[in-house]
Amino acid sequence: MIETNALSKRYGDTVVVDGVTLSLPAAEVTAIIGPNGAGKSTFLSMIARLLSIDTGTAHVCGMDVAKAPSDALALKLAVLRQDNQIVARLTVRDLVGFGRFPHSRGRLTGEDRAMVEEAIGFLGLQDFAERYLDELSGGQRQRAFVAMVLAQDTQTILLDEPLNNLDIRHAVAMMRLVRRAADELGKTIVVVLHDINFAAAYADRIVAMKNGRVAVEGRVEDVVTETIIGEIFGIEASIRQVDDQIVCLFRR
Amino acid sequence: MDDALRLDERRAAARPIAPPSKPRRSAIRENGVILAGLGALALVSCVLFMTIDARGAWGFVLPFRGAKLAAMLLVGHAIAVSTILFQTISANRILTPSIMGFDAFYGLIQTVLVFFAGAAFAAALDPKLLFTVETITLIGFASLLYGTLLSTGARDIHRLLLSGVILGVLFRSVSGLMQRLIDPTEFVVVQDRLFASFNSVDTTLLGISAIVIAVVTLAVIRMLPVLDVLALGREPAISLGIEHRRMVLIVLGIVASFVAVSTALVGPVAFFGLLVASLARVLVGSREHAATILAASLLAAIALVAGQTILERVLGFDAVLGMVVEFIGGIVFLVLLLKRGTA
């Protein structure tokens, strides 16, 4: 469960996130969509305590992210940002092992190692487990980072554009994984997505942001409509129902 | 990601999850042979330094050389560890505290003291008290200056490097200006303090330096797992529950203490840290700080003690170790810079 109250962030005179009040229910997948510069990533970063909050509050699992101890939050909340560059030379297994740090403070137990292997398996990284990160393709590295986030085993997971660098096959696999984590493990997942169709296909709930505010928020079928998408992105879009799935087409 | 695509089938088959991998050995054990070899080399260097060409009474030779040896070991350790720690928090393999102007700032503190209080006053003060005050000042300013630079998530290496170089030049220039303005006899006092070398180690501060280094090293050992997480970068570290800003400030304080010790004992050594830190990573990797720090510290001891032995006893001329170290270190710096540029 994530709750924000009048959450705002400004840089100088520019308001990037403008009084966002949201309540995202547990065990659901929420997709945040919106044009570039809508404040999606900034909003996510504030909930994840990566950015300081100017005004307003954010609570994750009942903990105030600005006040709760960071190590206690790390047991409830994991976050993956877009560009991850690590100077240390680590293998995939080393990296995923770091996901267990909040639980074991650097001394992996047998249970920790089992969780690490499980996460590596979930992302199909068994064959790369001993490879160094700098020897992997962008997509493989991206999956290694997601495996680390999974190994952290938190109730809430925030993913900022997890489909970056992934081809369509791995993008679908990633979103299925997200879906499964919510359905089977009851995780609360918030994903920033650029592709409306991925959001429509896999999310329970969509938050559409524009100019730092929440433009629309609700179930997929209530948000992905021609008027709303057209208004938010400033494009002409056709929304169709294909095999009980909502798809968005962009007119030439 | 074949398996991930077939997750549902996998679950239907109720396949048990992958068995836990066998515990991976710690980086220290994994590189046990290399580390033991380095340790042995360091020990041999120390023995040779103490014994070769020892003329006259042992009662004189041993304490005399012993003090010098102790200073070299302390300084080597301080420079090696401070460089690795600084590179961890700046997420960068090119910067060293010295390139970032830490030791120039230490020099500025000393010059300012003589400039405003006079050499007589500075000389009358207890050197240990003076050293403590200077170290605390350095820690304070380093936290203020570099703390803001690093904790704002400055991932821009070029800006960081440029800021460091400019700060270093600024500190050196201000020191230089003040040294020209003061009385020549007072200048000699400053010079004496700033231009120590491995040949003229300031032995009055050996005791307190050893204590500072012991305390700070203990702090580093306690922080080892946290350091490994800090090396992942700011955002992953925060996500894993590290209070990043606080940790960066603590590490900066540790780095400043190490720099104060090494600068007080032998003066500024710009590229030495870069040399041993890079070499240590080549030898034992960078997965765990425990192994990297240990290797770098041993390498520093070998380089200083063996180098000094060879120069003093074998080649028979003095005072060039610093130069040799800087020369090789400078080349390593250029190689790293060029490699990064093409990567």
Side-chain angles (χ1 to χ4, degrees), chain A residues 92-138:
Chain A
V92 171
R93 186 168 277 131
D94 292 336
L95 179 75
V96 179
F98 276 113
R100 299 304 298 165
F101 181 81
H103 303 268
S104 57
R105 318 302 299 175
R107 285 177 190 278
L108 295 189
T109 62
E111 190 190 343
D112 288 327
R113 272 188 291 273
M115 297 286 285
V116 168
E117 294 312 310
E118 201 180 331
I120 287 175
F122 273 170
L123 282 132
L125 289 163
Q126 299 92 330
D127 297 342
F128 309 111
E130 288 304 317
R131 290 262 286 277
Y132 284 97
L133 292 176
D134 53 5
E135 297 165 351
L136 299 179
S137 74

Side-chain angles (χ1 to χ4, degrees), chain B residues 186-197:
Chain B
E186 300 200 327
F187 174 67
V188 174
V189 175
V190 181
Q191 200 186 32
D192 190 42
R193 281 161 179 266
L194 288 181
F195 292 85
S197 76

Side-chain angles (χ1 to χ4, degrees), chain A residues 86-91 94 98 132 134, chain B residues 24 27 30-31 84 87-88 93 227-229 231-232 277-278 280-293:
Chain A
I86 288 185
V87 284
R89 208 169 131 77
L90 301 171
T91 65
D94 292 336
F98 276 113
Y132 284 97
D134 53 5
Chain B
R24 179 156 184 187
E30 209 164 69
N31 296 292
I84 287 182
Q87 292 181 340
T88 293
R93 293 293 166 73
L227 289 170
D228 293 336
V229 177
L232 298 178
S278 307
R281 288 206 188 87
V282 171
L283 287 177
V284 303
S286 51
R287 179 162 65 99
E288 283 176 27
H289 277 76
T292 322
I293 285 178

